[in-house]
Amino acid sequence: MYPLLETLDSPNDLRRLERKLLPQLAAELRAFLVESVSKTGGHLSSNLGTVELTIALHYVFNTPDDKLVWDVGHQTYAHKILTGRRKAMASLRMADGLSGFPKRSESQFDAFGTGHSSTSISAALGMAVAARLAGNGHRAVAIIGDGAMTGGMAFEALNNAGALDANMLVVLNDNDMSISTPVGALNNYLAKLMSGRFYAAMRRGSEKVLKGMPPVLEFAKRAEEHVKGMVTPGTLFEELGFNYIGPIDGHDLDTLVTTLHNIRELEGPQFLHIVTQKGKGYAHAEQDCVLYHGVSKFDPVAGIVPKPVTKKSYTHIFGDWLCDMAASDGRLVGITPAMCEGSGMVEFAEKFPQRYFDVGIAEQHALTFAAGLACDGYKPVVAIYSTFLQRAYDQLIHDIAIQNLPVLLAIDRGGLVGADGATHAGAFDLSFLRCVPNMTVMAPSDENECRQMLTTAYRMDTPTAVRYPRGSGTGAAVQKTLQTIAVGKAELRRQGERVAILAFGSMLAPALEAGTSLNATVVNMRFIKPLDTELILELARTHGLLVTIEENTVQGGAGSAVAECLALHGVTVPLLHLGLPDTFIEQGEPSKLLADCGLDATGIETSVRKRLSD
């Protein structure tokens, strides 16, 4: 079925192919991608768009000695297939299978592990400088999507790379036509010309001759900028010290291979701008690249058939609440760092476009932007994944908490996230949030409580965070009214004897199940900060063992907060802390991962009985 692709087990095999066969390889690789991802789920649109680029890079560069650093990582399936992992694609994003992102421990061809964005240029620059220090002649290539170029870190790296004059290539995969002018034969021709050694030598020679005549040199530079500016948007990158080439058609293999061959022989920082189409070659994905960005299993012929929604996810609960609260309060503004669909803000963006702000992949900016709005009387709600909030920790402390500004963080994907693995798990937010002064931190146990907590947090005039997991909860009925709950007050859900289980957020359901078997008291703690100190002290007085359970790392988490509370009041009682272990948890089925961590009902009961027997 894939006669050419199946003969390739490494980039060395690829480099032995005749160049005229590369378009056939691209067609087979694209068909294999659709077939493979339809069986496993994963990122599809972005990977279909980088097929030709991946082939050209491995065809021209001597990987793995030459380093390819892929930004974000959800555009690397073709890279995995061409680097000896074709047969393993059936295990993509599964436990003990292939990661959905580049991973150094998985392959020598994965030069740098990525999951978050805007890091590729910094990493590739480090590798380029390392090659210069070692004198080995290896090349470093950063492949960055135009979305990742909205991250400030990318521009910090560009600025540094130009100053260091390192031998590196940055490939901008412009897949939304957001930067480029129309691409055609003339642009492709000029790109080949400008990447050639003759052009580079002529340029250096001209600068040398004209150095003795500064006004003429300046005029020549300006003239070159204007001539190139007629067909390219590269002035910014030229000013940063890069030789800009493009934009070129990222699906034209002949142009890509020729241009990359030329660039590989050039010295100094090079910037290649290519234009690709998300979902290229698969009609369903071309028509709706957003729907096919991240997919579950589907029929490749029929495409994705929407499944009936049996119960709303926490993301949908937040989206509904956001619209309702915005309708009742004109001060509300919604902010997201490039996660409109993922954070459930599509309806809000349509209904309240003047109050919706997508700031791009720029989490640091998102929080300080929110702080500025809060300073002038608005009530910002920042919808952000737990794993991405980590990137804006300084802004949270310095710009929001110190100034005690009323910014609400709606934190999605708290806890384990399944197939996306360690790079996207929200394992640390309870730990790093609760230690920040002025913060109020809540974790709902079901969908209705999530809505109530969002209302409670919004109506406070201090920094707040509501942290909820991926997917749906218990299916609790959600009241449409905007009700609040008492700040810092827990909820006794089951009265038992001897053992008291203090459950935080998503862990209440398995705690109640285990509590029934153990005849234990079970408390829905609700608040990580402030804690219900009065209830904790009462439970310590009346029970022989306190068990804390959270879908967060045990170190410094909610359980640690309970221990600190008891220590502060001089109370000694046996404690058992259950939560995520001190390790990075890889991809897999969420329920199995939680069970492996002892965070299902059986695991909780087993841990408690063991402690009691000890």
Side-chain angles (χ1 to χ4, degrees):
M1 188 174 179
Y2 305 105
L4 199 55
L5 180 61
E6 290 174 358
T7 66
L8 306 181
D9 293 317
S10 75
N12 284 333
D13 297 330
L14 168 63
R15 289 188 279 268
R16 284 193 285 265
L17 286 181
E18 292 184 62
R19 188 162 161 175
K20 66 182 181 180
L21 294 175
L22 297 185
Q24 177 188 338
L25 175 62
E28 291 184 17
L29 182 52
R30 187 166 274 116
F32 180 84
L33 272 171
V34 173
E35 180 190 15
S36 177
V37 176
S38 72
K39 296 176 180 177
T40 63
H43 293 98
L44 185 60
S45 296
S46 52
N47 283 292
L48 290 172
T50 56
V51 167
E52 287 85 2
L53 174 61
T54 306
I55 291 172
L57 285 168
H58 281 293
Y59 194 72
V60 172
F61 287 90
N62 186 34
T63 54
D65 291 338
D66 291 336
K67 313 295 184 184
L68 303 183
V69 181
W70 298 87
D71 214 294
V72 180
H74 61 229
Q75 53 184 344
T76 56
Y77 292 2
H79 162 78
K80 288 176 182 279
I81 293 165
L82 293 176
T83 53
R85 289 169 275 181
R86 183 182 72 255
K87 295 178 181 177
M89 286 294 288
S91 68
L92 184 71
R93 292 159 43 98
M94 300 178 186
D96 301 319
L98 288 184
S99 169
F101 303 99
K103 189 175 181 182
R104 281 170 54 83
S105 61
E106 186 177 287
S107 171
Q108 62 178 332
F109 292 96
D110 290 358
F112 196 76
T114 52
H116 296 180
S117 78
S118 312
T119 59
S120 61
I121 303 175
S122 297
L125 176 59
M127 294 171 188
V129 171
R132 183 167 66 190
L133 292 172
N136 56 30
H138 296 166
R139 296 287 172 151
V141 182
I143 305 100
I144 185 168
D146 59 334
M149 285 296 291
T150 62
M153 187 176 172
F155 284 92
E156 293 175 17
L158 285 170
N159 183 54
N160 191 211
L164 291 177
D165 197 33
N167 291 332
M168 70 174 295
L169 167 63
V170 175
V171 178
L172 171 60
N173 176 25
D174 179 2
N175 52 21
D176 273 333
M177 303 292 284
S178 58
I179 300 175
S180 66
T181 53
V183 175
L186 177 60
N187 281 331
N188 289 345
Y189 170 76
L190 287 172
K192 290 180 183 179
L193 177 66
M194 289 190 293
S195 66
R197 301 181 77 172
F198 173 75
Y199 174 84
M202 182 182 71
R203 185 181 183 196
R204 287 194 300 270
S206 299
E207 289 180 354
K208 187 175 182 181
V209 170
L210 294 173
K211 270 188 177 176
M213 307 159 62
V216 179
L217 174 60
E218 181 62 25
F219 173 78
K221 284 184 174 179
R222 295 293 182 191
E224 180 192 37
E225 286 176 5
H226 284 295
V227 170
K228 292 178 73 174
M230 285 187 229
V231 290
T232 69
T235 303
L236 169 63
F237 304 109
E238 293 276 4
E239 292 293 340
L240 289 169
F242 282 78
N243 177 42
Y244 174 89
I245 301 156
I248 67 173
D249 183 350
H251 301 299
D252 184 331
L253 267 165
D254 182 63
T255 297
L256 278 173
V257 171
T258 298
T259 304
L260 289 170
H261 266 303
N262 289 338
I263 289 174
R264 197 180 186 282
E265 302 304 315
L266 300 178
E267 299 293 317
Q270 310 295 321
F271 193 100
L272 175 61
H273 180 175
I274 73 168
V275 176
T276 62
Q277 179 184 6
K278 289 179 181 177
K280 174 72 173 179
Y282 181 54
H284 294 296
E286 287 183 351
Q287 292 167 10
D288 193 341
C289 62
V290 174
L291 176 65
Y292 284 84
H293 173 73
V295 300
S296 54
K297 297 177 184 179
F298 67 97
D299 182 335
V301 177
I304 296 174
V305 178
K307 297 179 181 178
V309 177
T310 55
K311 54 183 180 179
K312 287 189 175 182
S313 68
Y314 280 101
T315 302
H316 284 114
I317 297 299
F318 164 72
D320 290 345
W321 170 85
L322 189 65
C323 290
D324 292 344
M325 184 58 77
S328 70
D329 188 344
R331 298 174 300 161
L332 184 149
V333 291
I335 301 168
T336 178
M339 294 303 296
C340 179
E341 292 83 11
S343 293
M345 298 184 75
V346 173
E347 185 180 356
F348 173 80
E350 293 172 350
K351 288 184 174 180
F352 305 95
Q354 299 303 314
R355 289 192 271 160
Y356 165 73
F357 301 95
D358 182 345
V359 301
I361 304 177
E363 293 86 1
Q364 293 173 301
H365 165 60
L367 264 65
T368 304
F369 174 59
L373 282 159
C375 283
D376 275 9
Y378 286 87
K379 295 293 291 286
V381 178
V382 181
I384 191 167
Y385 287 10
S386 171
T387 184
F388 300 143
L389 178 59
Q390 297 163 184
R391 311 185 80 187
Y393 194 50
D394 180 63
Q395 286 68 30
L396 171 63
I397 295 173
H398 187 273
D399 299 336
I400 294 175
I402 287 179
Q403 303 183 95
N404 204 25
L405 294 171
V407 175
L408 165 56
L409 303 177
I411 305 173
D412 205 333
R413 270 65 167 179
L416 301 182
V417 292
D420 283 337
T423 57
H424 284 63
F428 312 108
D429 52 75
L430 297 186
S431 299
F432 69 67
L433 286 172
R434 75 173 190 84
C435 63
V436 179
N438 293 332
M439 284 294 302
T440 298
V441 185
M442 317 176 203
S445 61
D446 62 34
E447 296 88 336
N448 189 54
E449 197 167 66
C450 183
R451 183 177 172 91
Q452 292 174 334
M453 286 183 174
L454 287 165
T455 304
T456 303
Y458 181 80
R459 289 181 174 163
M460 297 176 69
D461 287 320
T462 54
T464 55
V466 178
R467 183 254 206 184
Y468 42 91
R470 183 176 191 171
S472 55
T474 61
V478 178
Q479 298 175 350
K480 289 296 288 181
T481 55
L482 295 169
Q483 295 182 339
T484 61
I485 58 176
V487 175
K489 290 298 180 182
E491 177 189 40
L492 182 64
R493 292 293 295 270
R494 186 185 191 282
Q495 184 64 58
E497 299 176 347
R498 193 180 180 189
V499 176
I501 302 176
L502 283 59
F504 292 86
S506 60
M507 291 292 98
L508 179 62
L512 283 169
E513 187 177 342
T516 301
S517 299
L518 294 163
N519 190 25
T521 295
V522 180
V523 177
N524 175 20
M525 290 302 293
R526 290 181 164 178
F527 289 83
I528 293 85
K529 184 179 184 180
L531 287 171
D532 190 337
T533 301
E534 182 179 349
L535 180 57
I536 291 172
L537 295 177
E538 173 64 18
L539 293 171
R541 185 181 65 81
T542 56
H543 293 73
L545 174 66
L546 297 191
V547 181
T548 65
I549 178 168
E550 60 195 294
E551 196 174 343
N552 182 86
T553 183
V554 171
Q555 283 80 0
S560 295
V562 172
E564 291 163 12
C565 170
L566 293 168
L568 181 65
H569 290 84
V571 176
T572 302
V573 64
L575 286 171
L576 172 61
H577 297 312
L578 301 179
L580 300 180
D582 186 21
T583 185
F584 290 108
I585 299 172
E586 301 299 342
Q587 71 272 8
E589 178 63 32
S591 59
K592 183 179 184 304
L593 294 178
L594 287 171
D596 291 344
C597 296
L599 296 181
D600 61 348
T602 300
I604 296 168
E605 182 181 351
T606 299
S607 296
V608 172
R609 291 194 186 282
K610 183 176 185 303
R611 173 57 63 88
L612 291 173
S613 66
D614 291 343

